[in-house]
Each structure stands twice: as structure tokens, then as C-alpha cells.
Amino acid sequence: MIDLWRKHFVLTESMLEMECTCLTPAAVLKTSGHVERFTDLMVRDPETGECFRADKLLEDAIDDLIASEPTMASEQREEHLRIQRQADAFSPEELDKLLLKYDCKAPSGQPYSQAFPFNLMFKTSIGPEGTSVGYLRPETAQGLFVNFRRLLDLNAGKMPFAAAQIGLGFRNEIAPRSGLLRVREFCMGEIEHFVNPDDKSHPNFKSVAAKELVLFGRDDQLGSGKTKTLSVGEAVSTGLVNNETLAYFMARTQLFMEKIGMDPTKLRFRQHLKTEMAHYACDCWDLEIKSSYGWVECVGHADRACYDLDVHGKATKTPMLATVKLDTPQDVEVAKLKFDRKALGKTFKKDQRVVSGALEALAENWEDFAKVASDLETEGKTVVDGFEITKDMVTWKKTSKKVHEIKFTPSVIEPSFGMGRVLYSLLEHSFYQRESDEQRCVMRFNPQVAPNKCAVLPISSGEEVNAMVSQPGCISLRMRTQTSQISWLWF
Amino acid sequence: MIDLWRKHFVLTESMLEMECTCLTPAAVLKTSGHVERFTDLMVRDPETGECFRADKLLEDAIDDLIASEPTMASEQREEHLRIQRQADAFSPEELDKLLLKYDCKAPSGQPYSQAFPFNLMFKTSIGPEGTSVGYLRPETAQGLFVNFRRLLDLNAGKMPFAAAQIGLGFRNEIAPRSGLLRVREFCMGEIEHFVNPDDKSHPNFKSVAAKELVLFGRDDQLGSGKTKTLSVGEAVSTGLVNNETLAYFMARTQLFMEKIGMDPTKLRFRQHLKTEMAHYACDCWDLEIKSSYGWVECVGHADRACYDLDVHGKATKTPMLATVKLDTPQDVEVAKLKFDRKALGKTFKKDQRVVSGALEALAENWEDFAKVASDLETEGKTVVDGFEITKDMVTWKKTSKKVHEIKFTPSVIEPSFGMGRVLYSLLEHSFYQRESDEQRCVMRFNPQVAPNKCAVLPISSGEEVNAMVSQPGCISLRMRTQTSQISWLWF
């Protein structure tokens, strides 16, 4: 399945592929916001100290309530289900209230403690001194972000482009359960597609525009509770899905699922609620797959905007920029600077290059430089990147310049696959019982993902077959001995 | 390269393959001895607190000494090199003395602190309560050992058999360095071959018996300092290599290295010194590959005896046994037991089945039961697995029984590949500079491991080629634009 994934996404679209480490220095995950915000809300049983995931308790309580009152009016039931669908988007205070409202009690019989955030990353210490903290990566994406400049170089500076990574992710789940669906160590396949934030079109969009998807938009989740079936083209033109690239990957994911043998009637894309999304994200759609555990999110599709590259660029003082050539050069207003190197050197010593560099960067666009200019004129000084600049250090002239390219921090559009969840769902979708006899269970795999291939050959004890079978080659094979050697089983 | 490894070992020899988790509960690694003994010796700079690996300091000091005295007598130099080769086999006290003798000083100018063991495993805590400790696995092998019974079942109970695993290992190295050679997170390929400890022959041994290997035996390391070139058959018949299966895998490793394009003159097998080996191991041979960093161990071949299965079996009270059918049934002396269930039940309550089970197990061989019998006869009581048994609970009769199969704890023979080290060495062995011009460097890969394949095609802007190129297929391809589109580059 992973092989097929690599072919369907990485090779077909000429993506770059990279393998980063699982152990990640704390600095990277502090910058990305994971150290502070990668949390689930947890409650404790005040008597035993046992911990529970607050949103799952709420979901279960609503299931129980609905099951216990079969005569409940459908409107009322819809209202409960609406709350259930938002379970992981509530604030701690809201959850506290709802747990009270639904009368959730801890196993000891007491009410739960207040909900509090619990960080889901595994922490360890790196090196012999024990002074540097590391985490096991909760997603593979950060490795690609911090290597963005290398990836861009490898792609000869061309935009847009994508980089993929297949590898392990780790989350210290409060309550692992449901087989492969909620585990603490799992295989992910992530693609980071880097794109100009002002142009999120996709060159191959036409090839999927007619493909129909089952979409469960934000408004429908809070309103009708019903899904819509739309072509990808319509979804983008009506504004339901934010942009072409995001929609393109949703369609490619749908095609992948159909290719490996998933039941298309059990697939839907659910949009994140505003309260569910990170503050920087533009739009997020989860592919949910239906199994005996209900609808389970298996693939995320997120437009993460410029957030990640921006924060890493700032934290490391290494701008993560891409350039596009303009078809026709544009005139832009810039400031032409002249430094008094002596004055700069006296004040900033070895930092003088940093200071002049920061000013040069601002000067590339008069709009950015205007405030510095007016501050220096009126106050005689200003602050840039924490350095106090005075009037004697620099003079400038407003002028115009022809530019042939523009620089920008790329936006990132990310499809992120939970391989274990996809695999588990596929096993369920491939399983059936024969109509005539429930005891006869079948796993019917699509040949492309079937783990074993077999051939039925005529019985033969001839030299030729024996020689072929005993010769160590590149095919692993086994003889089937149970049924008097009627057949050979190959795999 | 990993693909080829899988074909060469796993598929060709019909091994089982399994993927276990990196996060490992502390219990598993306590049982295996890693929590207590998986350590390197470390010294501190007493002034700065900085840490260093003691054996590496010694090795470097000897290198420096030899380099600084080019006129040193060859006998003396040999003596220093002998000490250097044993560097990682010394006790803390021996290392303390040697560091003094070679006048090793910390960067602050003071002598180092005493050497002390430092555990190389990354520790973390699993679950929300923070009470259960986990480690990142230092080797993949333990996952296969604890799953031995499942693997044996999957193999339909047949012995001998092998299981392989490709995955990440983690070691909190004191001083990571040398590119891919000493890192804290690395890809391993490990094979555990389970075999009857009384019969370590290998069915395919003949196919490799004539293969010649460069062997650096224990005696030669402490004596002549020279290697021997022997056929695998000779190595086993002279007793240099302990058994056929171990030698078989050494030969298969050699063949793999030659297949991927390693320079055969830069390969040698070095036997572990007695002081270097774990107390339970029978024999260990490292494949060392020569690169600009000297001889580096890249593949371990160890006969781990029954140690691992034994300790896990005892710790989990789940015997890890295999059975072989005997060609002719054998008579063995056993004890036939008769329990007084009332007396047992009164004393042991719900543990009575455990107690009677333990006695039954001993009774299967009179030799094992003899001590219990004599204790009960003379003392009236005895202790089995921590339970005190008295005379009234059981009576017995010595008798003989025909057995058709025997049970045993399998021995494990393990080839263990450090994939990163092999890859790095391969890069060095594949690199050369043209004789005519040192600036023209070439990476000459064996086609089987080459990352890019290319085809040179005639120039064409015809419809046919464009259609082929723009169609998303399973081949990732790139147009080469630098040289006026003279060629297409495929990969």
C-alpha cells in the first residue's frame, strides 16, 4: 500500500522525497507551536487520579443518551449530535459545563476534575549531559519545513513544488484503543506542497475537475447535518473549498482510495469548523472513512498558509523565501540607502552587517521603509529588529526600480495520511461473509495491494519444477502441503 | 539498497518479516538486560562537566602517540595497537589506569574524572499519568524475541526459521560524529535465525562453503595483528567460526556486499574478544568495512545462544519453546504424578493449577524431577518456583515413556546491519577521481543501487513524445533544460 502511495503521489507528480529523524530538538517544536499547543483536554477522576480524554467522554455520553431514549424527538437528537460533532473544538470551560450538563461521572462516582491541556509529545533528553530536550516528532512535516531551503535548491529554485515524507509519528495518546485507529506510534505519509500565496491554482487541476466528491461542509455540520455531492470544479468555483491546489489533492486522495479498493460509498470529506482549525490555517478538509467504529478521519488536507515557514524563518533568522520571475518587469518604489559605516561600526561592532542587512531588506519596498524614514526624520531615531538606529547612520533617497522577480514566503498545502488508519479501513472494506454461509469469511483484496499472489499449477513432481522451486531466487515461495499437494502457494 | 537487502535475505530464504514499535515498555528491556548493561563508559571534564566517551579518548591518544613518534620500534607500536583494538572491552578501572598512562587530559587541562557507565537508551514516559517508563529501542531484535511464539505459529511450528525486521534503532551516543557512522537514530536490518542449539548446521551451507572470507580471529588480534583468508568451509571445520549457521550468514553478508558494489579488498570479519562479548554469546564476528575513517564495524554476526528467549520466557512465565520430531521415538525416564487436589487447593487456592503445572513440567524428565523426589522423601518438603510443596500433596512413580518429539529453547543467530554505515561505506567505495583530472569526480554505482536511471533519446518535439511525457504515469521524469534540451533525464 505504501509502495502504491509512493507511485500515486510522489513519482507521478515528480515530488521530492526526504527522510528526517524522529527525534527532534525542542527548538524546532517550540517554534512550530507544538510545545505550547499540541494538546488534548484531559480530566481526572479526583479519587483515583486516573486520566480521561474529555472530548471522548462527552461523545460517549451523547451516544449513551441517544441510545437510552429511542423515542427522543428527531430535532432534539440532531441538537445533541451537533454538539457531539464539535466535541474536540470546545474550550476547557465549555467542556466542563457540557460534562456537567450530560451528567458525566468518573468511575469512582464523583464528578470529574476540571479539563486541562495535556501535551501529546513524548519527551526525552538528548546527549550525555542531559541538558538538551528532544521530542519524538508528532508529525513528519516539521522536518520538511526546516529543510525548505535545501529542498528548493534541489528543485532548482522552481515553484510550486512538493516534498513528501513517509515515516513514523508519535503521540502520547491519553486513551489508545480501537486497533490501529488510535495508537501511540504510527506510520504517516505527508506531502508539503509549496505554492505562491497569491496564486494557489494547480497546473493539473483540469484533470480532476469533473471528479465528484462527497463533501460535508462547515455550514452543513452546524445546520442540516447532511453531505453534498459536488464535482471538484464546482466545489472550488462556489468557494466551498478554498482553492484549486487544496481541491486537487482532495481529488487525488479520493482516486487513491478507489485505486486500493476502498468502498466509495464509505468516504466523505469533512471540513474543519472555524473553532477546530489552527488560527493560521485557511481551510482544512479531513477524508473520513466509515468502518465499524463510525466515521474516522484518515487523511487531513490542510492549507497551512505561510505560518510554518514564517515562524522557522524568524526563529533561525534565515528567511525561507522563494522567487518567481515576472513575465513583464514591474516598477516598484524603493529607498536607495547610503550608510555611514563608521557610525554603524562604532555602535554595533560585529553586528553592523546584520543591522545594515535588515535596513536593506526594508528598503526594497518603499512601503516597508516609509515608517523608518519618517521616524528618523521626526524623532531622529527608530528601532529595527531590536537595534536602535540613529539619523547619523544612514541617508536615503526615494527612487523607483524595475524588478524582474518577486520574493515571497510560500504557502503550504498539506495532505497528511495516517497509514495505519487507512490500512485498517481497507481491511474492513475488503472483508465480507458469503451469503450462503456466514462462517465463510473472505478478504477480497484489490490485486495491487494483496499481500500474497498465488498461482495454481498442474501437479508435477518432474525435475524441472523441483529445480525451479529449490533454486533460491528473488521470489519467496511456499508449498501448500495440507491438501495433498494439489497446489503450490506462491508469495 | 534496502530493497535489495530484502530480496537477498528475506525473500530468497523465505524468512518472515515483521515490524515492531520503536517505543518499548521498560519491562522488555529490563528483562533483556539493556536497562542494566547497555552502557558506554564515560568520563567528565571535572571543571566544565563536559562528557566524553572513555574508549574513544584512549583510541585517539594512541593514534596521536604513534603519529608523534614515527621512529617508534615496530614491536612497541604493535603493543600500542593491541591495546587500542581492545579499547571498548576494558573495565572502568582498567580504562582509568590507561587514560592516566597515556596522559589523557580534559580540555580544561585537568585529568578526567573516573570512568562510569552511561546508559545509551532514550527514556520517555508513556501514557497520561506519567507512571510507566518506556525506551526507544536500541535494537530491533527484542520485538522479534517477545513475538517468538507468534512467529513460530506463522511458520507452522517448523524449525529452523528466521524472522527479519527493518526499522529504526536509537542510541543516545555520547559523541555522535563521522557523518552517518555514529548517529543517534539509524536504520537497522536485523535477522533472527532460530535454531536447535544441538544442531546448528544449515541446509544451504554447501552453497557457500567454498566462498573465501578475510577473517581476523581473536588470537590474531591479540597476537600477529594479521588477517587470514579462508574458505567458509575451512573456517568452520577448523573451529575458527563456531558453527555452520553463523558462517553461512557471514558468507551471505559478504555476497551481499559484493552485489551492491562494495570493494572486496576493503572488507574483513573481525571476531569479538572474549572480554568484548556478552557473557551468554557463543561467538561474534563483525563485518568491518574500510573507509577514510579506518575499519568500521557495519554488520554484526552474533550467536546469542538461548539467552534472549530464555529470559523473556522466564519473565513472562510463557515458555518460548520449539519442538522437533524425532525420526525414531526415544525412551525417556519420567515421573508419573498423582496429586492430592484437596491438599493442594487448601494451601494454594487459585494458584493450585500453577503449582501442579510446574511439577508436571519437571516430571517430564526424571533427571529434573529427581531432586524434588529426594527432597520430599528426606525432608518432607521442597520449594518449586517459590511455592513450598509438602509430601502430602503429591505421590509419584518413576516410569519410562516413548517420546516422538523433543522440546527446547531455540538458539538465536543474528546478523545485524547498520544500514547507514553500509550506505556511507558504499558511497566512499563508489567514488573516484579521473586520473587525468582530479577535479572530475565520479560516483560509479552498481546499476542495482543507483538512485537515478537515465535514457538518452533522440530529440523530438512530436506529439507522441509530448503526450508520453505529460501523462502522469508511474515513472517520475524530468526534462533536462540546461543543455538546450538535448536530452531527457529520467528517474
Side-chain angles (χ1 to χ4, degrees):
Chain A
M1 195 181 85
I2 287 176
D3 241 36
L4 212 62
W5 189 89
R6 184 175 275 128
K7 276 185 194 149
H8 184 83
F9 290 101
V10 184
L11 295 178
T12 304
E13 315 219 5
S14 296
M15 294 176 182
L16 301 173
E17 189 179 342
M18 189 171 182
E19 211 173 274
C20 307
T21 60
C22 297
L23 280 168
T24 309
V28 172
L29 294 162
K30 241 177 222 154
T31 303
S32 69
H34 283 88
V35 172
E36 201 181 321
R37 285 190 302 268
F38 193 67
T39 54
D40 271 347
L41 291 172
M42 190 153 87
V43 291
R44 264 184 215 280
D45 182 329
E47 204 166 305
T48 64
E50 206 184 337
C51 299
F52 304 89
R53 234 180 102 167
D55 57 340
K56 296 291 160 199
L57 288 176
L58 179 63
E59 286 176 13
D60 291 349
I62 292 175
D63 279 342
D64 291 348
L65 180 71
I66 290 175
S68 69
E69 295 185 26
T71 57
M72 190 189 293
S74 79
E75 261 173 48
Q76 222 180 330
R77 201 172 59 228
E78 267 313 309
E79 178 56 31
H80 290 308
L81 288 174
R82 236 193 310 280
I83 292 175
Q84 192 183 40
R85 282 196 296 266
Q86 300 177 60
D88 63 352
F90 289 119
S91 71
E93 295 73 30
E94 287 168 331
L95 268 175
D96 287 343
K97 275 185 211 148
L98 285 163
L99 287 179
L100 269 181
K101 179 180 158 194
Y102 283 98
D103 198 28
C104 295
K105 288 262 165 58
S108 69
Q110 300 191 36
Y112 286 107
S113 75
Q114 289 188 334
F116 61 96
F118 170 72
N119 195 299
L120 296 181
M121 292 193 295
F122 288 103
K123 193 175 182 175
T124 189
S125 93
I126 300 178
E129 282 94 358
T131 45
S132 64
V133 172
Y135 294 95
L136 290 173
R137 62 179 177 195
E139 57 172 16
T140 67
Q142 298 302 325
L144 297 173
F145 296 145
V146 296
N147 281 292
F148 169 73
R149 280 161 58 110
R150 272 190 203 162
L151 292 167
L152 183 64
D153 271 359
L154 268 172
N155 205 47
K158 275 183 231 147
M159 287 286 295
F161 75 100
Q165 180 164 200
I166 301 170
L168 294 174
F170 299 82
R171 295 181 189 178
N172 195 2
E173 290 288 350
I174 298 170
R177 56 171 142 175
S178 318
L180 283 176
L181 295 185
R182 187 171 301 287
V183 290
R184 287 178 173 148
E185 178 177 334
F186 44 90
C187 180
M188 307 177 84
E190 293 194 305
I191 295 165
E192 310 302 324
H193 184 90
F194 299 100
V195 66
N196 184 339
D198 295 329
D199 176 13
K200 293 183 180 172
S201 64
H202 193 287
N204 296 336
F205 184 70
K206 268 192 198 147
S207 69
V208 299
K211 178 78 196 162
E212 290 202 330
L213 302 179
V214 177
L215 300 170
F216 195 18
R218 196 176 285 149
D219 295 341
D220 288 328
Q221 290 169 55
L222 297 175
S224 72
K226 294 210 168 52
T227 61
K228 284 197 184 83
T229 301
L230 284 180
S231 77
V232 177
E234 279 175 294
V236 174
S237 64
T238 59
L240 181 56
V241 175
N242 183 280
N243 61 69
E244 276 192 8
T245 301
L246 187 61
Y248 174 74
F249 280 112
M250 288 163 63
R252 292 286 299 161
T253 297
Q254 174 84 18
L255 289 169
F256 175 73
M257 293 301 163
E258 291 171 8
K259 190 188 272 182
I260 61 175
M262 214 69 93
D263 179 349
T265 65
K266 293 180 177 169
L267 302 174
R268 74 177 187 197
F269 289 86
R270 190 184 71 80
Q271 191 175 28
H272 278 209
L273 301 177
K274 293 254 183 212
T275 44
E276 222 176 321
M277 282 197 306
H279 62 94
Y280 52 81
C282 294
D283 197 6
C284 297
W285 289 84
D286 286 342
L287 173 76
E288 298 187 329
I289 306 181
K290 193 171 185 177
S291 68
S292 54
Y293 292 101
W295 288 99
V296 176
E297 52 174 287
C298 294
V299 185
H301 302 80
D303 184 334
R304 300 170 75 130
C306 313
Y307 176 77
D308 299 277
L309 292 181
D310 233 21
V311 291
H312 286 300
K314 281 191 183 129
T316 56
K317 299 201 174 139
T318 315
M320 303 232 179
L321 300 175
T323 39
V324 279
K325 287 224 162 57
L326 294 171
D327 293 337
T328 48
Q330 284 179 359
D331 283 324
V332 291
E333 297 199 308
V334 300
K336 209 171 163 190
L337 305 184
K338 209 177 147 188
F339 294 104
D340 182 337
R341 290 280 167 198
K342 236 190 215 161
L344 269 179
K346 208 172 133 196
T347 313
F348 299 118
K349 310 245 157 48
K350 66 177 171 39
D351 279 340
Q352 63 167 299
R353 300 247 158 240
V354 179
V355 175
S356 59
L359 286 169
E360 296 273 20
L362 287 173
E364 277 186 27
N365 189 331
W366 180 258
E367 272 178 44
D368 297 336
F369 192 73
K371 195 182 168 298
V372 175
S374 78
D375 278 0
L376 287 179
E377 267 164 13
T378 56
E379 317 274 331
K381 60 183 184 180
T382 188
V383 175
V384 172
D385 282 5
F387 297 104
E388 192 181 274
I389 318 282
T390 51
K391 211 176 170 173
D392 57 322
M393 295 174 185
V394 60
T395 55
W396 63 91
K397 214 172 73 185
K398 186 172 167 182
T399 174
S400 94
K401 197 173 111 179
K402 274 213 184 314
V403 294
H404 299 266
E405 52 178 35
I406 47 169
K407 288 202 163 93
F408 57 88
T409 304
S411 266
V412 172
I413 289 168
E414 172 196 84
S416 166
F417 286 67
M419 294 294 190
R421 291 183 173 194
V422 174
L423 178 63
Y424 174 80
S425 310
L426 182 61
L427 291 177
E428 266 205 22
H429 289 198
S430 304
F431 173 85
Y432 71 98
Q433 295 166 313
R434 297 205 188 214
E435 270 176 37
S436 53
D437 182 358
E438 287 202 348
Q439 297 296 308
R440 294 174 66 196
C441 302
V442 183
M443 298 294 301
R444 176 183 43 194
F445 290 110
N446 189 310
Q448 292 199 76
V449 293
N452 298 342
K453 331 270 184 217
C454 71
V456 182
L457 303 177
I459 301 178
S460 163
S461 59
E463 275 304 301
E464 224 173 273
V465 173
N466 283 338
M468 190 173 77
V469 168
S470 62
Q471 175 200 318
C474 283
I475 289 173
S476 162
L477 54 85
R478 300 217 154 186
M479 189 166 43
R480 173 139 177 193
T481 49
Q482 280 111 320
T483 51
S484 329
Q485 304 196 6
I486 272 187
S487 55
W488 305 83
L489 182 67
W490 296 63
F491 71 91
Chain B
M1 195 182 85
I2 287 177
D3 241 35
L4 213 62
W5 190 89
R6 185 175 274 126
K7 275 184 194 150
H8 184 83
F9 289 101
V10 183
L11 295 178
T12 304
E13 315 218 6
S14 296
M15 294 177 182
L16 301 173
E17 189 179 343
M18 188 171 182
E19 211 174 274
C20 308
T21 60
C22 297
L23 280 168
T24 309
V28 172
L29 294 161
K30 240 177 223 155
T31 303
S32 68
H34 283 88
V35 172
E36 201 181 322
R37 286 189 302 268
F38 193 68
T39 54
D40 271 347
L41 291 173
M42 189 154 89
V43 292
R44 263 183 215 280
D45 182 330
E47 203 166 306
T48 64
E50 207 184 337
C51 299
F52 303 89
R53 235 180 101 167
D55 57 340
K56 295 291 160 197
L57 289 176
L58 180 62
E59 287 177 13
D60 291 349
I62 292 175
D63 278 342
D64 291 349
L65 180 71
I66 290 175
S68 69
E69 295 185 26
T71 58
M72 190 189 293
S74 79
E75 261 174 49
Q76 221 180 331
R77 201 172 59 229
E78 267 313 309
E79 178 57 29
H80 290 308
L81 288 174
R82 238 194 308 281
I83 291 175
Q84 192 183 40
R85 282 196 294 267
Q86 300 177 61
D88 62 352
F90 289 119
S91 71
E93 295 73 30
E94 287 169 331
L95 268 174
D96 287 343
K97 276 185 210 147
L98 285 163
L99 287 179
L100 270 180
K101 179 179 158 197
Y102 283 97
D103 197 28
C104 295
K105 288 261 166 57
S108 69
Q110 300 192 36
Y112 286 107
S113 75
Q114 289 188 334
F116 61 96
F118 170 71
N119 195 300
L120 296 181
M121 293 193 295
F122 288 103
K123 193 175 181 175
T124 189
S125 92
I126 301 178
E129 282 94 357
T131 45
S132 64
V133 172
Y135 295 95
L136 291 173
R137 62 180 177 195
E139 57 172 15
T140 67
Q142 298 302 326
L144 297 173
F145 296 145
V146 295
N147 281 292
F148 169 73
R149 280 162 57 111
R150 271 189 204 163
L151 292 167
L152 183 64
D153 271 358
L154 268 172
N155 205 46
K158 275 182 230 148
M159 287 286 295
F161 76 100
Q165 180 164 201
I166 301 169
L168 294 173
F170 299 82
R171 294 182 189 177
N172 195 1
E173 291 288 350
I174 298 170
R177 56 171 142 175
S178 317
L180 283 176
L181 295 185
R182 188 170 300 287
V183 290
R184 288 179 172 147
E185 178 177 333
F186 44 90
C187 180
M188 309 178 83
E190 293 194 307
I191 295 165
E192 310 302 324
H193 184 90
F194 299 100
V195 66
N196 184 340
D198 296 329
D199 176 14
K200 292 182 180 174
S201 64
H202 193 287
N204 297 336
F205 184 70
K206 267 192 198 148
S207 68
V208 299
K211 179 78 196 161
E212 289 201 330
L213 303 179
V214 177
L215 300 170
F216 196 17
R218 195 176 287 148
D219 295 341
D220 288 328
Q221 290 170 55
L222 297 175
S224 72
K226 294 211 168 51
T227 60
K228 284 196 183 85
T229 301
L230 284 180
S231 76
V232 177
E234 279 174 294
V236 174
S237 64
T238 59
L240 181 56
V241 175
N242 183 281
N243 60 70
E244 276 193 7
T245 301
L246 186 61
Y248 174 74
F249 279 112
M250 288 163 64
R252 292 286 299 161
T253 297
Q254 174 85 17
L255 290 169
F256 174 73
M257 294 301 163
E258 292 172 7
K259 189 188 272 182
I260 62 175
M262 215 68 94
D263 179 350
T265 65
K266 294 180 177 169
L267 302 174
R268 74 177 186 197
F269 289 86
R270 190 184 70 80
Q271 191 175 29
H272 279 209
L273 301 176
K274 293 253 184 212
T275 44
E276 223 176 319
M277 282 198 305
H279 62 95
Y280 53 81
C282 295
D283 197 6
C284 297
W285 289 84
D286 286 342
L287 172 76
E288 298 187 330
I289 306 181
K290 193 171 185 177
S291 69
S292 54
Y293 291 101
W295 288 100
V296 176
E297 52 174 287
C298 294
V299 185
H301 302 81
D303 184 335
R304 300 170 75 130
C306 312
Y307 176 77
D308 299 278
L309 292 182
D310 233 21
V311 291
H312 285 299
K314 280 190 184 131
T316 56
K317 299 201 173 138
T318 315
M320 304 235 179
L321 299 175
T323 38
V324 279
K325 286 224 163 57
L326 294 171
D327 293 337
T328 47
Q330 283 179 0
D331 283 323
V332 291
E333 296 199 308
V334 299
K336 208 173 163 186
L337 305 184
K338 209 177 147 187
F339 293 104
D340 182 337
R341 290 280 167 197
K342 236 190 215 160
L344 269 179
K346 209 172 133 195
T347 313
F348 299 116
K349 309 248 158 46
K350 67 178 170 40
D351 278 340
Q352 63 167 300
R353 300 249 156 239
V354 180
V355 176
S356 59
L359 286 169
E360 296 273 19
L362 288 174
E364 278 186 26
N365 189 330
W366 180 259
E367 272 178 44
D368 297 336
F369 193 74
K371 194 182 169 298
V372 175
S374 78
D375 278 1
L376 287 179
E377 267 164 13
T378 55
E379 316 275 330
K381 60 183 183 180
T382 188
V383 174
V384 172
D385 282 5
F387 297 104
E388 191 181 275
I389 318 282
T390 51
K391 211 176 170 173
D392 56 322
M393 295 174 185
V394 61
T395 55
W396 63 90
K397 213 172 74 187
K398 186 172 168 182
T399 174
S400 95
K401 198 172 110 179
K402 274 214 183 314
V403 294
H404 300 266
E405 52 178 35
I406 46 169
K407 288 201 163 97
F408 57 88
T409 303
S411 266
V412 172
I413 289 168
E414 172 197 84
S416 166
F417 285 67
M419 295 294 190
R421 291 183 172 194
V422 174
L423 178 64
Y424 174 80
S425 310
L426 182 61
L427 291 177
E428 265 206 22
H429 289 198
S430 304
F431 173 85
Y432 72 98
Q433 295 166 313
R434 297 204 188 213
E435 270 177 35
S436 53
D437 182 358
E438 286 202 349
Q439 296 296 308
R440 294 174 66 196
C441 302
V442 183
M443 298 295 301
R444 177 183 43 194
F445 290 110
N446 189 311
Q448 291 200 76
V449 293
N452 297 342
K453 331 271 184 214
C454 71
V456 182
L457 303 177
I459 301 178
S460 163
S461 59
E463 274 304 302
E464 224 173 273
V465 173
N466 283 337
M468 190 173 77
V469 168
S470 62
Q471 175 199 318
C474 283
I475 289 173
S476 162
L477 54 86
R478 300 216 154 187
M479 189 165 44
R480 174 140 177 193
T481 49
Q482 279 111 320
T483 52
S484 329
Q485 304 196 6
I486 272 187
S487 55
W488 305 83
L489 182 66
W490 297 63
F491 71 91

